[in-house]
Amino acid sequence: MKLFWKILIILLVLVIILFSIFFLIGYTTYSKALDEKPLVERVEEVTNMEHFVKFNDMSDYYRNAVIAIEDHRYYEHGPIEFRSIARAIFNNIKAGDLVEGGSTITQQVAKNVILSQEKTLSRKLAEVIAAFDLEKNYSKNEIFELYVNTANFGNGYIGIYAASMGYYNKEPKDLDLNEASMVAGVPNAPSVYAPNINPTLAKQRQTQVINAMVQYGYISNEQALEVI
């Protein structure tokens, strides 16, 4: 029994040490990014864009489509979602490849607005710390705005305004279910799901979005069938 407790204590100490190391790496990377430009300035650069789209200036269909496909518990969890992380790890191990990410919308904002797109451990750790800082200073709706206004929608379109006007010649508030579900799926892989580049793959992705909207109660089966 004494041996068991000794092993348990050693494992606990190792976990604490590893956590401390990871936190230090992430915090250092995040601090460097803020030294280059503070969080407030980075956010203001986005919100001061000429065609920045406010939360209430997007159609309900579009907002709901994004939440359904990107982060369906967005308004229920904190900066990170442990369920999504665990599911992503399981699915990636099962597939033997990186097929799913566990990032929340807030983490994606941290990547798009504060950090970079590079796939490194230090950036990923910094992303988690940045996500906590974002949710400490901004509301969920404000963070959602930052996400859709900085996301890559393929075909050179950055932000929902450019995507909505570019693909449909409509403002985001006027997107119908078909249009909203199409553009909501693009940021997952912009070069793959851009509707004017790969219409077949874009339609497959749209079907995933529509199914998610049905699953989480945003639309009915009847509405879904009108689109897919």
Side-chain angles (χ1 to χ4, degrees):
M1 183 62 74
K2 288 183 179 180
L3 179 61
F4 169 79
W5 285 109
K6 284 182 180 179
I7 294 173
L8 188 62
I9 291 171
I10 291 172
L11 289 174
L12 181 60
V13 170
L14 288 174
V15 168
I16 293 172
I17 291 173
L18 282 174
F19 177 83
S20 300
I21 292 172
F22 286 157
F23 177 83
L24 182 60
I25 293 171
Y27 182 79
T28 300
T29 303
Y30 180 53
S31 295
K32 286 181 179 178
L34 294 190
D35 286 341
E36 294 174 5
K37 187 176 295 181
L39 176 60
V40 172
E41 287 186 23
R42 292 176 182 273
V43 170
E44 286 179 348
E45 281 186 356
V46 178
T47 58
N48 289 334
M49 292 189 309
E50 182 180 0
H51 294 297
F52 179 81
V53 182
K54 298 286 290 182
F55 187 83
N56 290 330
D57 291 328
M58 307 171 205
S59 74
D60 289 341
Y61 286 131
Y62 176 68
R63 290 196 300 260
N64 293 340
V66 173
I67 295 296
I69 196 62
E70 290 290 344
D71 189 355
H72 73 274
R73 295 186 64 252
Y74 176 62
Y75 287 99
E76 301 168 29
H77 61 65
I80 62 176
E81 167 66 308
F82 293 103
R83 292 186 195 177
S84 295
I85 293 172
R87 184 183 64 247
I89 291 173
F90 174 79
N91 289 337
N92 290 335
I93 292 174
K94 184 179 178 181
D97 195 4
L98 187 62
V99 297
E100 182 178 340
S103 295
T104 63
I105 285 175
T106 306
Q107 285 176 264
Q108 294 183 64
V109 170
K111 179 176 63 176
N112 293 344
V113 177
I114 307 169
L115 300 165
S116 70
Q117 305 298 317
E118 64 177 341
K119 296 181 179 180
T120 62
L121 177 62
S122 60
R123 198 277 295 161
K124 192 65 179 179
L125 294 171
E127 177 186 298
V128 172
I129 294 173
F132 277 90
D133 203 15
L134 279 165
E135 293 214 357
K136 182 178 72 176
N137 291 284
Y138 300 95
S139 70
K140 287 282 192 177
N141 286 357
E142 288 172 330
I143 293 170
F144 184 90
E145 290 174 348
L146 293 172
Y147 171 64
V148 300
N149 280 280
T150 58
N152 183 346
F153 289 85
N155 202 42
Y157 301 136
I158 303 297
I160 183 55
Y161 182 87
S164 183
M165 294 299 295
Y167 288 127
Y168 300 111
N169 197 30
K170 288 184 175 182
E171 294 193 7
K173 64 182 176 62
D174 297 321
L175 293 176
D176 61 25
L177 176 58
N178 178 51
E179 297 156 347
S181 58
M182 177 64 78
V183 294
V186 177
N188 179 258
S191 62
V192 176
Y193 296 131
N196 64 332
I197 297 175
N198 293 309
T200 301
L201 293 178
K203 188 64 180 179
Q204 291 175 3
R205 177 62 174 169
Q206 181 189 32
T207 300
Q208 293 176 347
V209 175
I210 288 293
N211 288 339
M213 293 181 77
V214 172
Q215 180 179 354
Y216 300 119
Y218 290 114
I219 59 174
S220 65
N221 285 312
E222 289 74 20
Q223 288 175 293
L225 290 173
E226 292 177 4
V227 176
I228 60 176

